[in-house]
Amino acid sequence: ERSSAPPAPAAKSLRAEPDAIRGEIRLRDGRAIRVESRLAPTRFNLANITACAALAHGAGIAIAAIEAGIRAVEGVPGRLTPVPNKLG
């Protein structure tokens, strides 16, 4: 069977930078959620941010509140924390 559901949100413009995750998540209705996160820039965190934003939007949470929530999330101290060393 083919699903008639519209495509899921797309995180094509999300990018992992050395110190943050930035970009946009495009929603089915054409709007976008702006992402600015201090979480470690890993594929795991990119996927989690996208999934949580999509679920929150689907639950009717305002885009501004989703954006504020993403900005407010802090990582767990010591987990995925860069450790300076002779290699950088």
Side-chain angles (χ1 to χ4, degrees):
E1 285 182 43
R2 294 184 84 186
S3 172
S4 61
K12 291 181 181 176
S13 70
L14 274 187
R15 60 194 178 280
E17 297 180 357
D19 63 338
I21 296 170
R22 294 183 177 90
E24 289 185 341
I25 298 169
R26 288 275 167 201
L27 301 170
R28 294 181 270 196
D29 61 10
R31 294 182 296 163
I33 296 172
R34 289 182 305 280
V35 173
E36 180 81 26
S37 173
R38 296 171 301 192
L39 292 177
T42 65
R43 285 183 290 193
F44 179 76
N45 283 336
L46 287 168
N48 279 343
I49 287 170
T50 302
C52 291
L55 289 169
H57 181 262
I61 296 173
I63 288 177
I66 297 169
E67 292 171 342
I70 292 170
R71 281 191 307 274
V73 173
E74 295 184 14
V76 176
R79 181 163 170 82
L80 299 173
T81 304
V83 178
N85 61 53
K86 65 181 179 180
L87 299 176

